[in-house]
Amino acid sequence: MNDNMRFAAATGVGSMPGTDAREAAKTVTGSVEDFPFLAELPARGPGADMIGRTAGMLVELYARVEPSGWRIGDRPGRDTKRARSWLGEDLDALEEFTQGYRGDLKVQAVGPWTLAAALELKNGEVALSDPGACRDLAASLIEGLRLHLAEVRRRVPGARIVLQLDEPSLTPVLRGRVRTASGYRTHRAVDRQTVEATLRDVVGVHDGGPVAVHSCAPDVPFALLRRAGVAAVSCDAALLTERDDEAIGEAIEAGTRLFAGVVPGTDGPLSDPAGSVMGVRTLWRRLGLGPGLLAEAVTVTPACGLAGASPAYARQVLAHCVRAARSLADNPE
């Protein structure tokens, strides 16, 4: 596996419970200290949610909250300003707790296709309904991510930044399952080559740095993501089936890392760390891959974000992921 595609053994997905940026940054940097991430706190309200946060990063495109969701508008309003303000707070907190840090650091943003499936145009239909709007949105996202990544590098200069694109709507976009505003129809499937090309353009914004794509939905398109140039695919391991085996095996053999979501994101009893990664070991045996590759190719994460967890459980889960990753490395068989 290419050395510049190696990642630390455990990290989180992105969202955390609560509304206190300093507390979240302290928890993250203390729990997954080899691979911290910029925490997202959606409990603060619109603008701190996944879509609103990324909408606030866009360049020369603005969005505001309507009863139906986020809608693209002509000028920055209070919703855009609030999203940018909260992102600034989160960056301040991260900078405070990563003084002198050297290692992997993950930041998250919504990818171009989930953004197109969520942001409404003036007519109330999502941007996905208009190929021109999709292109404009992707171009704006690329510029916004360029600025965001530069800001994170400035604040944490010793870190290797890993960009995670959240794409839970990617499979519905590819299969024509995104509903229209009326709810009675669905938007046409987007051509796979168009989806792949747009993702490749967005991945390219990171100037050779590693990009992961996260989806906690079923049927993640591993082969398409590999061709688009992503360094890692992040998914809920419980949703993987034998149908995915060939694509996962090809991706891993080509050097793509698997961010395996193995720990539930909402409060409940935790198994022992070795038990949490049993499914990953089973997958590995099914794929016929050498057990020695496990620690090199797998990063352990929660199954999805932790916004719905209690603060105490969120801390437990991140620490549990670190122990589970250690179990994989110590006992790959």
Side-chain angles (χ1 to χ4, degrees), residues 241-258:
T241 70
E242 292 188 24
R243 267 200 328 269
D244 302 305
D245 281 4
E246 186 177 349
I248 295 172
E250 286 176 359
I252 288 168
E253 288 179 336
T256 307
R257 187 148 181 126
L258 180 66

Side-chain angles (χ1 to χ4, degrees), residues 9-13 214-216 233-240 258-266 268-284 294 298-306 313 316-328:
T11 190
V13 171
H214 169 72
S215 174
C216 47
V233 177
S234 170
C235 61
D236 180 346
L239 298 178
L240 298 178
L258 180 66
F259 283 20
V262 299
V263 188
T266 50
L270 294 172
S271 73
D272 66 295
S276 292
V277 288
M278 190 71 71
V280 178
R281 289 194 180 93
T282 302
L283 169 68
W284 229 245
L294 260 174
V298 174
T299 291
V300 176
T301 74
C304 209
L306 297 172
Y313 181 77
Q316 282 181 327
V317 163
L318 293 177
H320 188 88
C321 286
V322 173
R323 289 193 295 271
R326 199 171 297 136
S327 163
L328 265 188

Side-chain angles (χ1 to χ4, degrees), residues 77-302:
R78 65 181 182 185
D79 297 322
T80 298
K81 290 172 184 166
R82 187 167 51 214
R84 291 176 177 174
S85 172
W86 276 330
L87 179 57
E89 271 183 35
D90 295 336
L91 286 166
D92 288 344
L94 181 72
E95 184 178 4
E96 178 184 347
F97 287 98
T98 52
Q99 294 295 309
Y101 176 73
R102 303 189 70 82
D104 290 332
L105 171 66
K106 185 162 68 67
V107 299
Q108 304 83 219
V110 176
W113 293 107
T114 295
L115 208 56
L119 284 181
E120 298 173 358
L121 303 173
K122 289 175 186 174
N123 64 3
E125 290 294 352
V126 291
L128 191 67
S129 64
D130 181 337
C134 289
R135 286 191 293 273
D136 291 346
L137 192 54
S140 176
L141 177 63
I142 286 169
E143 289 310 307
L145 287 174
R146 202 185 307 282
L147 295 171
H148 180 53
L149 291 166
E151 176 70 4
V152 177
R153 284 190 204 102
R154 184 184 69 76
R155 288 171 178 263
V156 196
R160 176 180 74 156
I161 309 300
V162 178
L163 171 62
Q164 175 181 302
L165 298 173
D166 292 319
E167 282 283 17
S169 298
L170 187 57
T171 299
V173 165
L174 287 165
R175 296 189 176 176
R177 292 180 182 166
V178 177
R179 293 206 165 275
T180 59
S182 69
Y184 294 122
R185 295 185 299 110
T186 55
H187 295 287
R188 280 171 36 189
V190 180
D191 177 74
R192 295 183 79 86
Q193 289 181 313
T194 302
V195 170
E196 184 183 320
T198 300
L199 280 168
R200 189 179 298 111
D201 289 345
V202 178
V203 167
V205 74
H206 199 12
D207 296 328
V211 177
V213 168
H214 169 72
S215 174
C216 47
D219 300 321
V220 177
F222 282 89
L224 183 151
L225 293 173
R226 177 172 58 83
R227 291 194 304 270
V230 307
V233 177
S234 170
C235 61
D236 180 346
L239 298 178
L240 298 178
T241 70
E242 292 188 24
R243 267 200 328 269
D244 302 305
D245 281 4
E246 186 177 349
I248 295 172
E250 286 176 359
I252 288 168
E253 288 179 336
T256 307
R257 187 148 181 126
L258 180 66
F259 283 20
V262 299
V263 188
T266 50
D267 290 41
L270 294 172
S271 73
D272 66 295
S276 292
V277 288
M278 190 71 71
V280 178
R281 289 194 180 93
T282 302
L283 169 68
W284 229 245
R285 284 194 292 271
R286 249 189 4 243
L287 296 176
L289 295 170
L293 187 62
L294 260 174
E296 275 187 36
V298 174
T299 291
V300 176
T301 74

Side-chain angles (χ1 to χ4, degrees), residues 57-62 72-76 84 136 140 143-144:
M57 296 180 191
L58 298 176
V59 172
E60 294 182 2
L61 276 181
Y62 311 101
I72 296 170
D74 299 323
R75 60 185 69 84
R84 291 176 177 174
D136 291 346
S140 176
E143 289 310 307

